[in-house]
Amino acid sequence: MLKEISLGLGAALLVFGLAVGYDITPFILLLAFGGSLYYLVNAKGMVKSSFGKGTGIPKRQEISFEEIGGQDSAIKELKEALDFIKNHNEIRELGIRPLKGIIMTGPPGTGKTLMARAAASYTDAVFVSASGSDFVEMYAGVGAQRVRKIFQTARESAIKQKKKTAIIFIDEIEVLATKRGQNSSHMEYDQTLNALLVEMDGIKVDDNVRLLIMAATNRVDMMDPALLRPGRFDRQVKVDLPDKKGRLEILKLHTRNKPLSKSVDLVQVSKETFGFSGAHLESLANEAAILAMREELKEIEHRHFHEAVDKVIMGEKLDRRPNPEELKRVAIHETGHALLSELARPGSVSALTVTSRGGALGYMRQNPEDDTYLYTQEYLENQIAVMLAGAVAEEVVYGNRSTGASNDYEKALHTAKTMIKAGMSRLGVVSLDDLPGDLKHTVVSEILREQEQRVLDYIMSHREFLSATMDVLLEKEKISGEEFRRLLQTQNAA
Ligand code: ATP
């Protein structure tokens, strides 16, 4: 605003000078000089701000540990480490060296960034964040310069905000901290990593701003050991996928501000979402709300959560509609999966659909068991049978298979290899990596063949059921597990 007024005033003065007969050339020269100076300063500012891009813009949104669900042990461990920072004076008196770095490891979306932000609130620190990729540049020395800059920004921001502590959070640290000498443009990476080591070594117990570096990665194995040695990132906090209780906590957190109908059973949703991260659960709650909104409802129903699970796992419904013949084949394929699923674990089919979603033309969803971390041989064999059943059903009805099963085969092959690794094959306890390729191939094939034969026998005895269910599925597009079981009972009784 001030700029516009001054420009207007200047122009008016010039016109006035010209009108009363002044020689305005010196003014014009002066203006040109001032203008270029202004441009130069601004351009420099632009360079500065793009240089500082992503590195060091303090985030103000405060978040507390109470807003992070399902990570009780990680939070406890982290708080213990942070108490070192909070009880700074005692630490200095006892001559304990300052805690410089905490590294959080775990799968994506489990709340590592949230934990770092909560750590900043807990210690009343300034929070400065960047991602490993912000430090990666083609030009030698730029990454290292950015490392120095983020440390400087953290110190300056803390002084400006009159805080004693600053937390620098570096997400995806593996990008800049891979073992030295491994990158193709290794000189640049090595310089960046060296700069980080130098800055961390420079942190002293009596600095007027205490710095703590928090980093997140899901590839701790790739990290340069120099970074993990005592005195640098010497605390590791594991941030794992949440278990059932954790998922329930996270769901509660993310539905706090959403109107839920009485039908919503979050315990059931938490059971159905084995393997979901916090980010998945947040997205699930959001998608359920969007589905309710599309139906112009004021409250979210349980079925919205049920459908949102499909969406989060498989992706958005697609308009792509296979031709009628393909659709029949998809229905047969999915019914095959469902048949074997019920045989292996009665009551396990949750829903069956021929709606295209994400990369799939249809899918069969299973009711989850309790969170399972150990699998028996029988369980794995049943898994393989369920995976193969789609293709076998196609073969029984059409006499041939289609490409629709390639994803199933991949999973079946993976499971067969897991069985060999776990000593469940005829080879006994062996190392999968040391097995000669053709022997591995033979044993994997044997495992698959055995299950394929079992599936074939079962599906052959349910041929009519396949066709009958296909008709129902094509008509309704989606049938629930209960409906499927009812159809199966009627067939078995006949
Ligand atoms: P990445 O490794 O991909 O960077 P991250 O582990 O840092 O992921 P966050 O960025 O912290 O994950 O989480 C992403 C979003 O997921 C959060 O903004 C939040 O909405 C939700 N979320 C993740 N974990 C949790 C959790 N434990 N409690 C509540 N919300 C969570």
Side-chain angles (χ1 to χ4, degrees):
M1 186 64 185
L2 203 64
K3 199 166 77 185
E4 280 81 5
I5 294 175
S6 346
L7 275 175
L9 265 178
L13 271 175
L14 276 183
V15 173
F16 177 73
L18 203 65
V20 295
Y22 271 122
D23 177 10
I24 57 166
T25 326
F27 286 106
I28 293 193
L29 282 176
L30 205 67
L31 264 179
F33 177 70
S36 355
L37 205 68
Y38 177 78
Y39 173 79
L40 273 177
V41 168
N42 251 5
K44 207 174 149 215
M46 263 154 56
V47 171
K48 208 171 148 198
S49 62
S50 75
F51 166 74
K53 179 174 65 107
T55 57
I57 298 140
K59 299 232 169 98
R60 304 215 111 241
Q61 261 174 308
E62 297 254 312
I63 169 165
S64 75
F65 283 120
E66 280 73 51
E67 287 163 71
I68 305 175
Q71 294 296 353
D72 293 350
S73 52
I75 291 176
K76 186 166 163 268
E77 234 177 288
L78 183 58
K79 273 188 176 167
E80 269 168 23
L82 294 174
D83 285 339
F84 273 92
I85 304 227
K86 288 185 92 169
N87 309 326
H88 174 252
N89 286 337
E90 293 163 31
I91 284 172
R92 187 163 41 187
E93 275 159 27
L94 288 171
I96 298 173
R97 68 172 155 74
L99 176 68
K100 295 179 185 174
I102 299 176
I103 191 151
M104 290 176 290
T105 62
T110 41
K112 297 183 289 293
T113 310
L114 290 183
M115 304 257 281
R117 283 171 51 199
S121 317
Y122 184 71
T123 51
D124 189 28
V126 163
F127 182 70
V128 177
S129 79
S131 167
S133 47
D134 292 337
F135 299 96
V136 177
E137 273 295 332
M138 253 167 67
Y139 305 107
V142 176
Q145 206 176 344
R146 285 191 179 159
V147 169
R148 289 191 285 275
K149 173 145 175 65
I150 196 170
F151 275 75
Q152 186 193 348
T153 310
R155 287 194 176 95
E156 286 172 3
S157 308
I159 293 169
K160 232 186 261 167
Q161 294 180 32
K162 299 196 172 48
K163 303 224 175 186
K164 293 262 182 310
T165 316
I167 289 185
I168 298 175
F169 173 62
I170 306 176
D171 203 0
E172 299 171 359
I173 194 167
E174 72 279 359
V175 178
L176 84 117
T178 35
K179 293 180 181 116
R180 276 171 289 187
Q182 282 198 344
N183 270 300
S184 46
S185 56
H186 61 92
M187 280 309 287
E188 160 59 359
Y189 279 89
D190 293 356
Q191 276 187 30
T192 311
L193 179 53
N194 285 340
L196 181 62
L197 296 176
V198 168
E199 288 293 335
M200 287 187 81
D201 288 346
I203 298 174
K204 300 275 174 319
V205 74
D206 43 10
D207 284 346
N208 49 0
V209 174
R210 294 184 291 275
L211 283 187
L212 173 70
I213 324 300
M214 292 186 73
T217 180
N218 39 26
R219 292 303 310 270
V220 74
D221 54 308
M222 278 169 65
M223 303 257 303
D224 194 293
L227 258 183
L228 300 175
R229 79 151 174 72
R232 287 167 186 161
F233 285 104
D234 50 6
R235 295 282 155 135
Q236 271 195 37
V237 175
K238 252 183 141 295
V239 188
D240 263 333
L241 286 174
D243 60 9
K244 196 163 62 191
K245 184 171 150 279
R247 294 197 293 277
L248 179 60
E249 275 173 28
I250 299 175
L251 281 168
K252 281 185 181 158
L253 283 171
H254 288 291
T255 48
R256 266 183 316 191
N257 57 352
K258 296 185 173 63
L260 301 186
S261 105
K262 284 205 176 70
S263 68
V264 175
D265 180 358
L266 288 182
V267 175
Q268 179 61 22
V269 181
S270 69
K271 276 191 201 159
E272 287 188 21
T273 45
F274 177 68
F276 275 40
S277 67
H280 281 128
L281 294 167
E282 189 271 336
S283 160
L284 173 72
N286 202 42
E287 292 301 338
I290 292 174
L291 290 172
M293 191 186 72
R294 281 193 195 147
E295 291 180 23
E296 295 179 10
L297 296 177
K298 293 256 176 308
E299 287 184 331
I300 310 170
E301 303 283 343
H302 189 79
R303 64 191 158 84
H304 296 132
F305 279 92
H306 193 73
E307 184 163 351
V309 173
D310 285 346
K311 189 166 171 190
V312 174
I313 299 177
M314 312 283 300
E316 183 66 86
K317 266 189 201 165
L318 300 179
D319 287 336
R320 178 182 65 192
R321 216 172 148 70
N323 67 42
E325 266 317 299
E326 283 175 332
L327 212 56
K328 279 186 186 170
R329 195 183 266 273
V330 175
I332 292 286
H333 183 106
E334 299 310 326
T335 310
H337 283 312
L339 255 177
L340 259 291
S341 177
E342 281 295 319
L343 175 70
R345 185 161 59 92
S348 62
V349 174
S350 163
L352 201 58
T353 158
V354 285
T355 315
S356 300
R357 235 181 224 290
L361 298 175
Y363 53 94
M364 185 271 300
R365 202 168 113 195
Q366 288 179 300
N367 279 323
E369 294 170 280
D370 269 350
D371 291 8
T372 317
Y373 302 99
L374 281 178
Y375 303 106
T376 62
Q377 179 168 349
E378 191 193 354
Y379 180 92
L380 294 176
E381 283 173 350
N382 282 337
Q383 289 283 94
I384 295 178
V386 174
M387 286 164 208
L388 296 178
V392 173
E394 283 184 52
E395 196 174 315
V396 166
V397 174
Y398 291 102
N400 57 28
R401 300 184 179 196
S402 69
T403 50
S406 29
N407 203 11
D408 297 335
Y409 294 152
E410 244 170 65
K411 289 188 199 151
L413 285 165
H414 179 78
T415 311
K417 285 183 195 153
T418 307
M419 286 177 64
I420 300 180
K421 252 201 257 178
M424 294 172 183
S425 75
R426 69 168 161 88
L427 300 173
V429 180
V430 282
S431 150
L432 191 64
D433 296 334
D434 297 338
L435 275 188
D438 51 348
L439 183 58
K440 185 163 43 176
H441 171 75
T442 313
V443 180
V444 166
S445 306
E446 281 171 13
I447 296 177
L448 298 191
R449 291 280 161 281
E450 192 184 327
Q451 292 313 314
E452 215 169 13
Q453 190 54 50
R454 182 180 147 215
V455 174
L456 185 65
D457 294 344
Y458 189 67
I459 290 197
M460 283 296 266
S461 64
H462 285 76
R463 249 191 106 141
E464 277 158 34
F465 174 75
L466 273 185
S467 313
T469 313
M470 175 190 79
D471 291 337
V472 181
L473 192 52
L474 288 181
E475 191 198 320
K476 296 194 169 174
E477 209 170 288
K478 181 171 185 173
I479 53 179
S480 69
E482 287 77 45
E483 256 176 299
F484 180 78
R485 280 182 283 280
R486 231 178 290 130
L487 289 170
L488 193 57
Q489 264 169 11
T490 324
Q491 134 98 24
N492 287 344

